[in-house]
Amino acid sequence: SKLRIFKENIDGHCLNASAYFNILTDGSAKAINALKDTHPSERQKGKGVTFGLNYGAGIKKIANMLKIPEEEAKGLVERYKELYKDVYTYKYRIAKKAFKDGFVRSRFSGLKLILDGITSSNGAISSKDSRVATNFDIQSGGFLTLNAMVKFQEWIEESNLINDVMLVNTVHDSIYMYIKDDINLIKRVNEKIVVFMTTDYKENMPIHLEAELEIGYNQKNLVKVDKYINYTIQKPTDGVKLAKYIAYTERIDTIKKIASILKSLKHKI
């Protein structure tokens, strides 16, 4: 299931929601991804379950999070484990090796993370370090995101854009930045940041990285910008000012949507 997400471009949260809440589909990537529009509330609730389980939440925690009986939460957990049973086998193998070695090493950077508590007689401490070990191995200490961030900052400086683009922080695999409200600059940034974040770190990688750019006047209200879009400068449509939208070929509806959202957001700030 995890490999299908990457190889078939499946929305993982939609796939999880279909399993958690028994939403029937024909199993195709198109049908699963459609749940983002047809079952948005289930997808959103499912995200909380997924992140909770990934960071060690138990049945009681999931039940409290969703305000559901523990028996129902138990069913969600069991369906998740069945969906990703190979992942659980893999995580157990990583935790077992970390217990033996006392550390875990990033597969990309070689960075070693010492786990002093993994052999503790205190079950809570040992379990926590076991989760840290598997998360560190899977996320590789955020190395791929940080590597892209360094390359992007170098491009900013080489392009003399330090007053127009400012990197702010990373959250998991996302890079946040402030950018000047300029259509041509957004075009340049979109072309560069997506490339930096999707370039394979090693040769012959079976699964390729993906990334997308979202823009907005605040973090809560963001609009996705398509990857590798064909930008064109178009005349204002229906009174919308040119500076308030990203224009690209044959996507007039999207142009109006972005323009409307950005314009309304700016008035609220």
Side-chain angles (χ1 to χ4, degrees), residues 152 155-162 164-165 177 179-180 182-196 213 225 228-229 231 246:
F152 186 61
W155 173 78
I156 291 173
E157 295 174 8
E158 291 170 358
S159 303
N160 196 29
L161 294 172
I162 57 175
D164 300 323
V165 184
M177 71 186 81
I179 181 171
K180 185 178 179 181
D182 178 87
I183 181 174
N184 293 305
L185 179 59
I186 293 173
K187 172 183 182 295
R188 293 178 66 189
V189 167
N190 189 42
E191 291 171 345
K192 287 294 181 181
I193 191 62
V194 171
V195 170
F196 289 143
L213 178 69
V225 179
Y228 309 113
I229 56 181
Y231 292 82
I246 298 174

Side-chain angles (χ1 to χ4, degrees), residues 160-175:
N160 196 29
L161 294 172
I162 57 175
N163 294 318
D164 300 323
V165 184
M166 182 174 69
L167 295 177
V168 179
N169 204 348
T170 63
V171 178
H172 299 299
D173 57 355
S174 298
I175 297 175

Side-chain angles (χ1 to χ4, degrees), residues 54-56 87-108 111-119 124-142:
N54 284 340
Y55 285 94
V87 173
Y88 271 83
T89 300
Y90 170 77
K91 291 171 70 174
Y92 173 77
R93 188 169 70 246
I94 295 301
K96 184 178 180 180
K97 187 176 188 309
F99 183 89
K100 176 183 176 181
D101 297 338
F103 66 87
V104 63
R105 191 184 296 277
S106 168
R107 66 185 61 223
F108 291 111
L111 182 67
K112 180 193 292 186
L113 179 66
I114 304 298
L115 300 164
D116 292 327
I118 198 165
T119 58
I125 295 175
S126 178
S127 295
K128 178 183 177 182
D129 268 16
S130 292
R131 292 195 302 273
V132 169
T134 56
N135 286 335
F136 184 83
D137 180 81
I138 292 171
Q139 298 175 5
S140 296

